[in-house]
Amino acid sequence: MAATTPPKVLFEHEGVFVHSSTDAVEDQDLLISGYLRVLDKDGETVVEYKPLEDTVDPSNMLCACKDSSSVVEWTQCPSDRSHHVVDQQQQSCETEWDMVNTVSFKRKPYANGEGTSYHTHEKNCWAFSFTAADLRTVTVKTEGWTHLIFCLKDDTTLPTIHFHQGGCKEFMDCLQRCVHLTECPRDKTTFLVSCHNKTLSQSFENLLDDSNYGLVHKLKKDPYVATLGGFSKVTNYIFDAFRGPELEQREMPAEEEVAADILGEIIPGLEINQLEEPGFEVITRVDLGSRPEVQRGEPLSLADWLKYQDKEGRVRKVPELKERIFKGGLCHVVRREAWKFLLGYYTWNSTSEERKSLQRRKTDEYFRMKLQWKSVSEEQERRNSRLRDYKSLIEKDVNRTDRTNKFYEGLENPGLILLHDILMTYCMYDFDLGYVQGMSDLLSPILYVMENEVDAFWCFVNFMDEMHENFEEKMQGMRTQLIQLSTLLRLLDLAFWNYLEAQDSGYLYFCFRWLLIRFKRELHFQDVLRLWEVMWTGLPCQNFHLLVCCAILDSEKQKIMDRHYGFNEILKHINELSMKLDIEEILHKSEAICLQIKNCKDLPCSVSEILGLKAACDKSTLELSDYGILTPPLHTSGELVSNGHGQLSETSSNGYKVAFIS
């Protein structure tokens, strides 16, 4: 049975007020401050308002101050509600740095406005929530500030909400993406609400909403111009829909320019160009044989983890330990320590004392970098546009990263503060790359596991060393991975790849988000932890994440082909797999595919290179077969030409030509 998708925050704004007395609106004691949210819950749009007092349990809460220089423990005394500050120091680290050691807190259960599950509070009566389907009208009025009045279909009028600090326009823009708003003929301040049925769900945030749907049809008119282009310029990146790319400064025929604009709008951050593409190698079809059965194990327990360490703390039998982690993952209590080894923050042969010494040095190094951006004056920031842009983008992304996870839930959350500070410090560490959208998704699980600012930063640094090319300006990492994935899929199931190619989907750009942030938005949060630690073992081959993609596609291919899905339906179907994937089933199949490929004696050279199975073979002799598989080698380049009828010809840098007819 498919798992229920956790709510996704589409809009959130603090500083929204309810006036508890219309006769004394200026009396601050009679203003109820709260926040307004729009949530996507299993495809249903929910609008929710909560007073701030309902959002956080202040008792026994440990969090970072706004300047992240100390830890604040909020306690509720019987006589008053004063705040008690408790400064903590990093264990075994330099005492000159006053830092966050752990992030732990209690939260009241998140009700999402369902039923009567709101918490008891004197101002609880002002909280409300409703689905967009139940909304009849929205009235927008401006009297010094803007306020909204919601009227439901059962004639219920909800408390008027006042936007004293702005945000009304952004809320209405978000609401209009979810429902259809029509101006009432009799009252121009009132909008009638009707829910449209979206034929396509969203991909890459707002990839295919109704206003953008026609672009897909335009794209299909010239698929080869669109799909044979390269990935380039990462500007404000992949998750903001409708943000067009910057095209290269070169002349382009008018028809190609239109196609480039179309695909750029559908996949923001994607740039179409006619630069040379990799060359192609033609190899004969390979019989892979049957797919073997595999068995997975249980997560590694703390007791078992300790058995692999000697008296001085060195980890022994590392290959065996990695094999056990690959087969079953880790118990959560082990992750905080084990991930530091898997990510290369600690070396496997280091002693406990050496690791303590390393942590002291890394703590000092981290806070010196953090001090660089913390000490920048407003005047300096005004003159540093790149730092200003990084900061703005980080603040925007942090506020929408994993907000339904209790670790990052609510306003002024300590987890969000640390997420922000680590990403800002990473900009100081690698200023050339800085911050690109998607990085917050990679940091979030690491911070969740580490619960420590310094450890999370250095583990993130090592993870980014692996993922760096995904976020670089030319996006060469993404370009290479999509080519490699296409190569593997053609080997594993040529018939399915031919079907995708016939539907203008052979370049697998619907897998872009999978590869960009390693399935972070496709799996439930705990499943992401399991998948990442398995992949970090480096087993059973390099680029194992590509086989994970193949496993998912293998599970869906029959449905796609039997139902004769076209371009639009394939994209919609793949997107709707988010939060419905079974991680254990995927890992079983991925490992089985790897063993199936390893057992093959006549693997194509390009596949061997991709998976690191054996040395690259001699590509000097190429033979054309009627049953050929077109596979791009990794280090050649040439020009791809299409005749528009499924036939591709290629001129390589060596002057040879090959052809493939699907």
PDB file of all heavy atoms in Angstrom, residues 75-96:
ATOM      1  N   THR A  75      12.452  27.896  30.084  1.00  0.00           N
ATOM      2  CA  THR A  75      11.770  27.207  31.179  1.00  0.00           C
ATOM      3  C   THR A  75      10.587  28.053  31.608  1.00  0.00           C
ATOM      4  O   THR A  75      10.601  29.284  31.513  1.00  0.00           O
ATOM      5  CB  THR A  75      12.709  27.004  32.384  1.00  0.00           C
ATOM      6  OG1 THR A  75      13.185  28.277  32.817  1.00  0.00           O
ATOM      7  CG2 THR A  75      13.897  26.125  31.992  1.00  0.00           C
ATOM      8  N   GLN A  76       9.578  27.405  32.087  1.00  0.00           N
ATOM      9  CA  GLN A  76       8.367  28.114  32.522  1.00  0.00           C
ATOM     10  C   GLN A  76       8.268  27.996  34.030  1.00  0.00           C
ATOM     11  O   GLN A  76       8.038  26.913  34.573  1.00  0.00           O
ATOM     12  CB  GLN A  76       7.145  27.518  31.833  1.00  0.00           C
ATOM     13  CG  GLN A  76       5.909  28.360  32.026  1.00  0.00           C
ATOM     14  CD  GLN A  76       4.792  27.914  31.114  1.00  0.00           C
ATOM     15  OE1 GLN A  76       4.959  26.984  30.352  1.00  0.00           O
ATOM     16  NE2 GLN A  76       3.663  28.577  31.193  1.00  0.00           N
ATOM     17  N   CYS A  77       8.511  29.098  34.720  1.00  0.00           N
ATOM     18  CA  CYS A  77       8.475  29.104  36.175  1.00  0.00           C
ATOM     19  C   CYS A  77       7.033  29.242  36.654  1.00  0.00           C
ATOM     20  O   CYS A  77       6.197  29.831  35.973  1.00  0.00           O
ATOM     21  CB  CYS A  77       9.305  30.256  36.726  1.00  0.00           C
ATOM     22  SG  CYS A  77      11.032  30.199  36.188  1.00  0.00           S
ATOM     23  N   PRO A  78       6.730  28.725  37.845  1.00  0.00           N
ATOM     24  CA  PRO A  78       5.354  28.838  38.348  1.00  0.00           C
ATOM     25  C   PRO A  78       4.917  30.289  38.512  1.00  0.00           C
ATOM     26  O   PRO A  78       3.771  30.639  38.283  1.00  0.00           O
ATOM     27  CB  PRO A  78       5.417  28.124  39.703  1.00  0.00           C
ATOM     28  CG  PRO A  78       6.639  27.243  39.610  1.00  0.00           C
ATOM     29  CD  PRO A  78       7.601  27.970  38.725  1.00  0.00           C
ATOM     30  N   SER A  79       5.856  31.168  38.897  1.00  0.00           N
ATOM     31  CA  SER A  79       5.458  32.544  39.196  1.00  0.00           C
ATOM     32  C   SER A  79       5.491  33.455  37.993  1.00  0.00           C
ATOM     33  O   SER A  79       4.774  34.433  37.934  1.00  0.00           O
ATOM     34  CB  SER A  79       6.379  33.116  40.279  1.00  0.00           C
ATOM     35  OG  SER A  79       7.744  33.044  39.834  1.00  0.00           O
ATOM     36  N   ASP A  80       6.358  33.180  37.037  1.00  0.00           N
ATOM     37  CA  ASP A  80       6.416  34.025  35.847  1.00  0.00           C
ATOM     38  C   ASP A  80       6.864  33.181  34.675  1.00  0.00           C
ATOM     39  O   ASP A  80       7.046  31.995  34.767  1.00  0.00           O
ATOM     40  CB  ASP A  80       7.368  35.212  36.063  1.00  0.00           C
ATOM     41  CG  ASP A  80       8.782  34.755  36.427  1.00  0.00           C
ATOM     42  OD1 ASP A  80       9.250  33.759  35.833  1.00  0.00           O
ATOM     43  OD2 ASP A  80       9.415  35.407  37.284  1.00  0.00           O
ATOM     44  N   ARG A  81       7.065  33.835  33.512  1.00  0.00           N
ATOM     45  CA  ARG A  81       7.458  33.138  32.304  1.00  0.00           C
ATOM     46  C   ARG A  81       8.793  33.694  31.832  1.00  0.00           C
ATOM     47  O   ARG A  81       8.996  33.969  30.670  1.00  0.00           O
ATOM     48  CB  ARG A  81       6.385  33.306  31.228  1.00  0.00           C
ATOM     49  CG  ARG A  81       5.047  32.798  31.671  1.00  0.00           C
ATOM     50  CD  ARG A  81       4.016  32.930  30.595  1.00  0.00           C
ATOM     51  NE  ARG A  81       4.311  32.066  29.452  1.00  0.00           N
ATOM     52  CZ  ARG A  81       3.504  31.924  28.419  1.00  0.00           C
ATOM     53  NH1 ARG A  81       2.369  32.581  28.376  1.00  0.00           N
ATOM     54  NH2 ARG A  81       3.828  31.144  27.413  1.00  0.00           N
ATOM     55  N   SER A  82       9.724  33.869  32.790  1.00  0.00           N
ATOM     56  CA  SER A  82      11.034  34.409  32.432  1.00  0.00           C
ATOM     57  C   SER A  82      11.857  33.361  31.711  1.00  0.00           C
ATOM     58  O   SER A  82      11.607  32.165  31.814  1.00  0.00           O
ATOM     59  CB  SER A  82      11.768  34.879  33.686  1.00  0.00           C
ATOM     60  OG  SER A  82      11.947  33.787  34.568  1.00  0.00           O
ATOM     61  N   HIS A  83      12.889  33.822  30.996  1.00  0.00           N
ATOM     62  CA  HIS A  83      13.751  32.958  30.215  1.00  0.00           C
ATOM     63  C   HIS A  83      15.086  32.793  30.931  1.00  0.00           C
ATOM     64  O   HIS A  83      15.664  33.747  31.438  1.00  0.00           O
ATOM     65  CB  HIS A  83      13.995  33.550  28.822  1.00  0.00           C
ATOM     66  CG  HIS A  83      12.749  33.642  28.031  1.00  0.00           C
ATOM     67  ND1 HIS A  83      12.594  34.505  26.973  1.00  0.00           N
ATOM     68  CD2 HIS A  83      11.556  32.992  28.154  1.00  0.00           C
ATOM     69  CE1 HIS A  83      11.390  34.376  26.462  1.00  0.00           C
ATOM     70  NE2 HIS A  83      10.752  33.472  27.171  1.00  0.00           N
ATOM     71  N   HIS A  84      15.554  31.586  30.951  1.00  0.00           N
ATOM     72  CA  HIS A  84      16.813  31.267  31.607  1.00  0.00           C
ATOM     73  C   HIS A  84      17.816  30.848  30.554  1.00  0.00           C
ATOM     74  O   HIS A  84      17.568  29.933  29.790  1.00  0.00           O
ATOM     75  CB  HIS A  84      16.592  30.128  32.610  1.00  0.00           C
ATOM     76  CG  HIS A  84      17.865  29.649  33.248  1.00  0.00           C
ATOM     77  ND1 HIS A  84      18.680  30.488  33.971  1.00  0.00           N
ATOM     78  CD2 HIS A  84      18.451  28.426  33.249  1.00  0.00           C
ATOM     79  CE1 HIS A  84      19.716  29.780  34.418  1.00  0.00           C
ATOM     80  NE2 HIS A  84      19.603  28.536  33.980  1.00  0.00           N
ATOM     81  N   VAL A  85      18.957  31.525  30.531  1.00  0.00           N
ATOM     82  CA  VAL A  85      19.979  31.245  29.523  1.00  0.00           C
ATOM     83  C   VAL A  85      21.028  30.317  30.103  1.00  0.00           C
ATOM     84  O   VAL A  85      21.587  30.558  31.156  1.00  0.00           O
ATOM     85  CB  VAL A  85      20.651  32.546  29.044  1.00  0.00           C
ATOM     86  CG1 VAL A  85      21.750  32.247  28.043  1.00  0.00           C
ATOM     87  CG2 VAL A  85      19.611  33.469  28.441  1.00  0.00           C
ATOM     88  N   VAL A  86      21.278  29.240  29.401  1.00  0.00           N
ATOM     89  CA  VAL A  86      22.287  28.274  29.809  1.00  0.00           C
ATOM     90  C   VAL A  86      23.307  28.160  28.699  1.00  0.00           C
ATOM     91  O   VAL A  86      22.991  27.680  27.620  1.00  0.00           O
ATOM     92  CB  VAL A  86      21.659  26.888  30.083  1.00  0.00           C
ATOM     93  CG1 VAL A  86      22.739  25.907  30.517  1.00  0.00           C
ATOM     94  CG2 VAL A  86      20.593  27.006  31.153  1.00  0.00           C
ATOM     95  N   ASP A  87      24.527  28.620  28.928  1.00  0.00           N
ATOM     96  CA  ASP A  87      25.589  28.501  27.931  1.00  0.00           C
ATOM     97  C   ASP A  87      26.260  27.148  28.067  1.00  0.00           C
ATOM     98  O   ASP A  87      26.627  26.729  29.154  1.00  0.00           O
ATOM     99  CB  ASP A  87      26.635  29.606  28.109  1.00  0.00           C
ATOM    100  CG  ASP A  87      26.066  30.970  27.764  1.00  0.00           C
ATOM    101  OD1 ASP A  87      25.177  31.031  26.900  1.00  0.00           O
ATOM    102  OD2 ASP A  87      26.504  31.946  28.369  1.00  0.00           O
ATOM    103  N   GLN A  88      26.405  26.468  26.940  1.00  0.00           N
ATOM    104  CA  GLN A  88      27.059  25.170  26.914  1.00  0.00           C
ATOM    105  C   GLN A  88      28.252  25.238  25.981  1.00  0.00           C
ATOM    106  O   GLN A  88      28.266  25.996  25.031  1.00  0.00           O
ATOM    107  CB  GLN A  88      26.103  24.086  26.436  1.00  0.00           C
ATOM    108  CG  GLN A  88      24.941  23.872  27.386  1.00  0.00           C
ATOM    109  CD  GLN A  88      24.166  22.629  27.025  1.00  0.00           C
ATOM    110  OE1 GLN A  88      24.453  21.985  26.033  1.00  0.00           O
ATOM    111  NE2 GLN A  88      23.208  22.295  27.837  1.00  0.00           N
ATOM    112  N   GLN A  89      29.240  24.427  26.230  1.00  0.00           N
ATOM    113  CA  GLN A  89      30.430  24.408  25.395  1.00  0.00           C
ATOM    114  C   GLN A  89      30.529  23.075  24.694  1.00  0.00           C
ATOM    115  O   GLN A  89      30.093  22.052  25.196  1.00  0.00           O
ATOM    116  CB  GLN A  89      31.680  24.647  26.253  1.00  0.00           C
ATOM    117  CG  GLN A  89      31.655  26.008  26.955  1.00  0.00           C
ATOM    118  CD  GLN A  89      32.710  26.102  28.040  1.00  0.00           C
ATOM    119  OE1 GLN A  89      33.301  25.105  28.397  1.00  0.00           O
ATOM    120  NE2 GLN A  89      32.915  27.293  28.559  1.00  0.00           N
ATOM    121  N   GLN A  90      31.139  23.102  23.526  1.00  0.00           N
ATOM    122  CA  GLN A  90      31.347  21.878  22.765  1.00  0.00           C
ATOM    123  C   GLN A  90      32.214  20.932  23.577  1.00  0.00           C
ATOM    124  O   GLN A  90      33.274  21.297  24.068  1.00  0.00           O
ATOM    125  CB  GLN A  90      32.043  22.211  21.433  1.00  0.00           C
ATOM    126  CG  GLN A  90      32.538  20.998  20.675  1.00  0.00           C
ATOM    127  CD  GLN A  90      31.411  20.351  19.921  1.00  0.00           C
ATOM    128  OE1 GLN A  90      30.316  20.885  19.893  1.00  0.00           O
ATOM    129  NE2 GLN A  90      31.675  19.229  19.322  1.00  0.00           N
ATOM    130  N   GLN A  91      31.747  19.720  23.767  1.00  0.00           N
ATOM    131  CA  GLN A  91      32.488  18.751  24.550  1.00  0.00           C
ATOM    132  C   GLN A  91      33.837  18.494  23.905  1.00  0.00           C
ATOM    133  O   GLN A  91      33.939  18.240  22.720  1.00  0.00           O
ATOM    134  CB  GLN A  91      31.701  17.438  24.641  1.00  0.00           C
ATOM    135  CG  GLN A  91      32.329  16.445  25.593  1.00  0.00           C
ATOM    136  CD  GLN A  91      31.465  15.214  25.718  1.00  0.00           C
ATOM    137  OE1 GLN A  91      30.556  15.024  24.940  1.00  0.00           O
ATOM    138  NE2 GLN A  91      31.755  14.389  26.697  1.00  0.00           N
ATOM    139  N   SER A  92      34.905  18.589  24.702  1.00  0.00           N
ATOM    140  CA  SER A  92      36.273  18.338  24.252  1.00  0.00           C
ATOM    141  C   SER A  92      36.731  19.342  23.215  1.00  0.00           C
ATOM    142  O   SER A  92      37.602  19.041  22.410  1.00  0.00           O
ATOM    143  CB  SER A  92      36.408  16.914  23.686  1.00  0.00           C
ATOM    144  OG  SER A  92      36.029  15.964  24.638  1.00  0.00           O
ATOM    145  N   CYS A  93      36.171  20.540  23.174  1.00  0.00           N
ATOM    146  CA  CYS A  93      36.564  21.554  22.202  1.00  0.00           C
ATOM    147  C   CYS A  93      37.024  22.808  22.923  1.00  0.00           C
ATOM    148  O   CYS A  93      36.864  22.943  24.135  1.00  0.00           O
ATOM    149  CB  CYS A  93      35.411  21.870  21.248  1.00  0.00           C
ATOM    150  SG  CYS A  93      34.969  20.479  20.222  1.00  0.00           S
ATOM    151  N   GLU A  94      37.576  23.752  22.171  1.00  0.00           N
ATOM    152  CA  GLU A  94      38.102  24.976  22.754  1.00  0.00           C
ATOM    153  C   GLU A  94      36.995  25.746  23.461  1.00  0.00           C
ATOM    154  O   GLU A  94      35.927  25.972  22.918  1.00  0.00           O
ATOM    155  CB  GLU A  94      38.717  25.853  21.661  1.00  0.00           C
ATOM    156  CG  GLU A  94      39.894  25.209  20.938  1.00  0.00           C
ATOM    157  CD  GLU A  94      41.092  25.033  21.838  1.00  0.00           C
ATOM    158  OE1 GLU A  94      41.166  25.718  22.876  1.00  0.00           O
ATOM    159  OE2 GLU A  94      41.953  24.191  21.516  1.00  0.00           O
ATOM    160  N   THR A  95      37.255  26.178  24.712  1.00  0.00           N
ATOM    161  CA  THR A  95      36.226  26.863  25.494  1.00  0.00           C
ATOM    162  C   THR A  95      36.003  28.294  25.030  1.00  0.00           C
ATOM    163  O   THR A  95      35.046  28.930  25.443  1.00  0.00           O
ATOM    164  CB  THR A  95      36.629  26.889  26.980  1.00  0.00           C
ATOM    165  OG1 THR A  95      37.921  27.512  27.099  1.00  0.00           O
ATOM    166  CG2 THR A  95      36.700  25.482  27.533  1.00  0.00           C
ATOM    167  N   GLU A  96      36.902  28.819  24.169  1.00  0.00           N
ATOM    168  CA  GLU A  96      36.714  30.189  23.693  1.00  0.00           C
ATOM    169  C   GLU A  96      35.496  30.312  22.787  1.00  0.00           C
ATOM    170  O   GLU A  96      34.973  31.400  22.566  1.00  0.00           O
ATOM    171  CB  GLU A  96      37.952  30.673  22.939  1.00  0.00           C
ATOM    172  CG  GLU A  96      38.242  29.886  21.681  1.00  0.00           C
ATOM    173  CD  GLU A  96      39.537  30.318  21.024  1.00  0.00           C
ATOM    174  OE1 GLU A  96      39.492  31.287  20.254  1.00  0.00           O
ATOM    175  OE2 GLU A  96      40.567  29.685  21.287  1.00  0.00           O
TER     176      GLU A  96
END
